[in-house]
Amino acid sequence: GLVTVAAVIGWRVYARFQDRSSLWFACLLAFAGYLIRIHEFLLVLAIAFPLLPWQAIRRQRSMQIAFALLAGAITFAAILDHWAYSGPEWKTCKALHKAIPSISDSGGAQYIKQRPDILARHGYSLNDMELIDSKFYMDPALADPKILTAMSAELGPLFKQKGRIQLGFEAFKGLATSMLLPLVLAGIFLLGILFRRSVALAWGILLSALFVIGIVFRPGVFHVNFPLVSLLLVAPLAFGPVKGIRRWMALVVLFAACIGNAYVLVPQSEFSKRVMERAQRIITLRDGRI
């Protein structure tokens, strides 16, 4: 996600300064973002849609050529990926990957556990669904894609299940976590100081996307939200020079965001360090006994 955000910024830099190295490097970053995680790549581009330099894309041949080559590279990578996984040895794995998202990744297992009739018809117990929900796929008799797909079909679409609309609203709470709140507040303040309708529209798309993701998938996923918030934090600064009092106000907001982030991250870093040290001591003790 962050790689794709950097690509969007690179395209804005080219549109403003006509630096071709920024254009081609941004396209390389976008291609890398696609290869790393296609869904996050598409989500970032959807949020960034109003922020892209559309006038430059329409008028400048260099941008059109760069985007055409990027589209060609992505198409070639998609075809190559499809060919690489088209062998019979990948059949079960691909079927399982199609069945799992609606069961364990999106909370479907929680609803199936409330339907003993579905479990009974397919010979599953509550403990079996607990294992699937905990991503235990080692037992082929348990992680059977045909059975999981059939149970999911009997349950019906997740967005129609009770409480899914509430999950859509709970997705907004993901923006208020300690890790994201300083960035969110800074982004909102910068939008107020350096107001752009395109940035406000991007915020609207973000909130709509989070609501839909909460209903259809799962809300409040940090690694999904962080690149999106980072994009909207820098977006007000990407449309031209900031001068006068607004420049100083923007600097104060960014400095406050840095302080807020440090206040959250430094204790977490220390905690992670202690956890790693404890794990290393346990491993050392076990090796000593062996």
Side-chain angles (χ1 to χ4, degrees), residues 74-252:
I74 289 176
T75 301
F76 176 76
I79 294 173
L80 186 62
D81 180 77
H82 177 76
W83 173 79
Y85 290 100
S86 61
E89 67 274 13
W90 290 102
K91 182 178 180 180
T92 301
C93 181
K94 290 171 64 177
L96 188 60
H97 274 280
K98 289 181 180 179
I100 286 302
S102 60
I103 297 293
S104 65
D105 291 347
S106 304
Q110 298 298 324
Y111 295 100
I112 292 177
K113 284 186 286 187
Q114 299 171 16
R115 294 285 303 274
D117 56 319
I118 295 179
L119 292 173
R121 273 194 294 273
H122 296 279
Y124 272 56
S125 66
L126 285 175
N127 185 62
D128 292 334
M129 289 311 301
E130 287 287 353
L131 290 172
I132 292 296
D133 200 22
S134 300
K135 304 185 185 303
F136 180 82
Y137 310 136
M138 299 300 294
D139 186 352
L142 182 64
D144 188 325
K146 292 183 179 179
I147 296 178
L148 295 178
T149 301
M151 287 195 292
S152 179
E154 285 191 46
L155 179 67
L158 284 179
F159 66 87
K160 292 184 178 181
Q161 304 303 315
K162 184 178 179 180
R164 297 302 293 192
I165 299 297
Q166 182 180 354
L167 287 180
F169 289 106
E170 287 185 4
F172 300 143
K173 295 180 181 179
L175 299 178
T177 60
S178 60
M179 295 283 287
L180 285 180
L181 187 58
L183 303 182
V184 172
L185 292 177
I188 293 173
F189 278 116
L190 287 177
L191 176 61
I193 297 169
L194 310 169
F195 183 80
R196 299 275 184 176
R197 277 185 288 184
S198 55
V199 181
L201 179 58
W203 273 102
I205 297 174
L206 169 65
L207 296 177
S208 301
L210 291 180
F211 184 76
V212 173
I213 290 172
I215 294 175
V216 179
F217 299 103
R218 49 179 175 160
V221 182
F222 175 78
H223 68 261
V224 173
N225 293 344
F226 181 69
L228 307 178
V229 173
S230 300
L231 171 65
L232 296 184
L233 172 64
V234 301
L237 305 171
F239 286 88
V242 182
K243 300 179 180 180
I245 187 64
R246 295 195 300 173
R247 175 185 178 89
W248 290 104
M249 293 173 67
L251 289 174
V252 169

Side-chain angles (χ1 to χ4, degrees), residues 260-274:
N261 250 8
Y263 180 79
V264 173
L265 294 178
V266 170
Q268 290 192 354
S269 176
E270 291 297 323
F271 174 76
S272 299
K273 182 179 178 180
R274 290 195 298 269

